[in-house]
Amino acid sequence: MAEPKRVVIDYGDFEIEIVVRPKKARAPPEEGREVGTRAEAEEAAPSKVAVVLDQMFRIGAILEPLVPEGVVIYEVVGRGLSEEVRISDKYVQVPARDDYDIYRLVERLSSEADKVLLISGDRKLAGAVRVQAARKGRRNVEVHYMPPSEFPGRTQMIEEILKRIEAAG
């Protein structure tokens, strides 16, 4: 089978990386077996690292093409959504009414992914998730308190988030 090809495009302050993979040969479906179930989709693209961005960061669409394979970004969008929406293999938007919804999301992801990164600009939320993860013995949860106001610009903030994601993978 052919290997994936990577194409890098220089776009000013950003670098766009495109991964082109060959199609997988599909076996004929067995009788009585559903094709295209959600479980099969999850098996096809296992998540090694789940990154949860709280509501202060509206950069999921920017980070999506920049993160390595195996990373899924879960962007908390607040009350604008009624249910979780998978935009692509690497980008999911999640509704949350309050901090408790984010606690539950991190807990769910910690049982599904090898590592979960919560990137938050809210000190209270970051501390509470850190305590909750330690109390429940979730050693695969990393909490990064990164208030956007501490960065001179959006580009520097994105670069720092990408460094932390790459270090986790």
Side-chain angles (χ1 to χ4, degrees), residues 12 32-33 44 50 52-53 55 64 88 114-115 120 129 136 164:
R33 185 176 150 243
V52 178
L53 298 173
Q55 297 172 24
E64 176 192 6
S88 72
D114 294 340
K115 185 164 276 199
S120 177
V129 170
K136 294 192 176 192
R164 295 182 187 205

Side-chain angles (χ1 to χ4, degrees), residues 47-168:
S47 170
K48 290 173 52 177
V49 179
V51 178
V52 178
L53 298 173
D54 81 0
Q55 297 172 24
M56 289 185 182
F57 302 97
R58 297 297 230 153
I59 56 172
I62 295 169
L63 290 174
E64 176 192 6
L66 303 173
V67 297
E69 287 295 313
V71 175
V72 179
I73 299 166
Y74 291 84
E75 183 177 52
V76 177
V77 294
R79 299 174 188 242
L81 291 176
S82 59
E83 63 183 25
E84 195 170 287
V85 177
R86 181 171 285 276
I87 308 296
S88 72
D89 293 350
K90 293 182 174 182
Y91 182 37
V92 180
Q93 289 186 334
V94 182
R97 291 182 310 271
D98 53 26
D99 288 353
Y100 184 70
D101 288 340
I102 297 172
Y103 301 151
R104 287 191 331 205
L105 174 65
V106 170
E107 185 174 347
R108 175 177 63 99
L109 293 174
S110 69
S111 63
E112 295 174 3
D114 294 340
K115 185 164 276 199
V116 178
L117 300 178
L118 170 66
I119 299 175
S120 177
D122 182 347
R123 184 184 310 267
K124 182 179 143 197
L125 173 64
V129 170
R130 187 175 286 126
V131 168
Q132 175 199 14
R135 189 170 17 145
K136 294 192 176 192
R138 304 288 186 168
R139 298 191 186 277
N140 63 337
V141 175
E142 285 182 19
V143 178
H144 297 274
Y145 172 61
M146 298 175 63
S149 61
E150 289 188 5
F151 295 94
R154 192 172 169 136
T155 303
Q156 291 83 359
M157 180 181 66
I158 291 169
E159 288 173 354
E160 184 61 31
I161 290 172
L162 286 171
K163 284 180 194 173
R164 295 182 187 205
I165 291 171
E166 290 171 4

